[in-house]
Amino acid sequence: MRNRSHRSRAVLAFAAAALLGVAACDAAGGDSATSRGTAAARPSPKPTPVWDRSPRSMAAVGDSITRGFDACSVLSDCPEVSWATGSDPGVNSLAVRLLGTAGAAERSWNYAVTGARMADLPGQMARAVTRKPELVTVMAGANDACRSSTSAMTSVADFRTGFQDALRTLRRSLPKAQVYVSSVPDLKRLWSEGRGNPLGKQVWKLGICPSMLGDADALDTAATLRRGKVQGRVEAYNEVLREVCAKDRRCRFDGGAVFDYRFGTDQLSHWDWFHPSVDGQARLAEIAYRTVTAREPVT
């Protein structure tokens, strides 16, 4: 009897210990089915997106297109119609679309310079970073191809160096700033559209893009080869912009949208039939806004 009683007490003690162990494990959030189910049901926190589709400030760098050159009067800047930072309601600039009219007036800045080439971009970027913009727009390269001759065009290697230097200048001060990069427009199409206007061709003779627009009516072999070389250089510049931008996770290239856009006479300045008109500036603003606010970058 004594042995049977001893065994019974041992079994009871073991069972009690096992129950206490299970309870303790549940209390500590251990391996019980209930604990596992609770953990599985708890949603994981979503990672913060790298690209902010609603930046709260912006700066623009680039050339005459971003300055609204020849959009309002002949051979003059008109920044109020700039696709990037302009205030004109007919354009509905990128800044106005992103920040609202009041916000654009207070928190957008235009550092583009008419006649600027890619080599000038690092200096413009240095001025832009002092404002600490959350977004910087880049449109440059047309003047690198629009030279006195094809031999004077910026080399592809130097173009790459200038763009890389500009991005490094930005990243040293603003590592998290976003960058929208426009492709260089199709200069050959602009020649094709504008060469039918006598007034425009007279303005071209003042020195607007001689490498492409010089001898506008000439269709001989030499002229065709010259324009083809300019076009090839523009395409190479756009490939540089795409490649360099792709290496920066906070940079978005437009995927060639500006180059591919079929500018017609309504989108060209009626002062020089080459630069964008107010309507053309509005089309550039649309392309930029679509790229900046897209859920995924253009590939």
Side-chain angles (χ1 to χ4, degrees), residues 91-160:
V91 173
N92 196 16
S93 70
L94 178 62
V96 170
R97 294 171 194 242
L98 292 174
L99 311 175
T101 302
E106 297 172 356
R107 301 189 305 278
S108 72
W109 308 277
N110 193 326
Y111 291 99
V113 177
T114 293
R117 302 200 292 273
M118 186 56 77
D120 300 309
L121 216 65
Q124 292 182 18
M125 197 71 83
R127 292 190 290 276
V129 299
T130 63
R131 298 288 191 172
K132 295 181 171 55
E134 293 187 4
L135 173 69
V136 178
T137 67
V138 175
M139 182 180 282
N143 289 323
D144 292 271
C146 285
R147 307 299 297 150
S148 58
S149 65
T150 56
S151 61
M153 293 188 297
T154 302
S155 71
V156 176
D158 286 347
F159 186 87
R160 182 184 298 272

Side-chain angles (χ1 to χ4, degrees), residues 48-57 98 134-135 176-179 249-250 252 291-295:
T48 302
V50 171
W51 185 267
D52 182 0
R53 297 160 63 204
S54 302
R56 292 168 294 183
S57 60
L98 292 174
E134 293 187 4
L135 173 69
K176 294 185 178 181
Q178 298 179 164
V179 185
R249 61 202 301 255
R250 288 187 169 87
R252 281 191 177 184
T291 305
V292 170
T293 60
R295 292 186 180 276

Side-chain angles (χ1 to χ4, degrees), residues 225-292:
L225 289 174
R226 167 171 56 84
R227 295 186 193 108
K229 189 170 184 178
V230 175
Q231 187 74 348
R233 188 61 57 89
V234 167
E235 292 172 358
Y237 291 162
N238 281 332
E239 182 60 18
V240 167
L241 296 175
R242 185 192 67 78
E243 290 176 353
V244 174
C245 189
K247 295 177 182 178
D248 186 317
R249 61 202 301 255
R250 288 187 169 87
C251 182
R252 281 191 177 184
F253 180 53
D254 72 3
V258 169
F259 177 84
D260 291 338
Y261 185 80
R262 298 182 66 80
F263 284 90
T265 54
D266 287 343
Q267 287 80 49
L268 296 181
S269 163
H270 289 188
W271 297 104
D272 69 16
W273 298 92
F274 183 73
H275 286 87
S277 63
V278 172
D279 186 73
Q281 292 282 345
R283 303 290 82 77
L284 294 174
E286 288 174 1
I287 293 171
Y289 182 73
R290 186 166 63 244
T291 305
V292 170

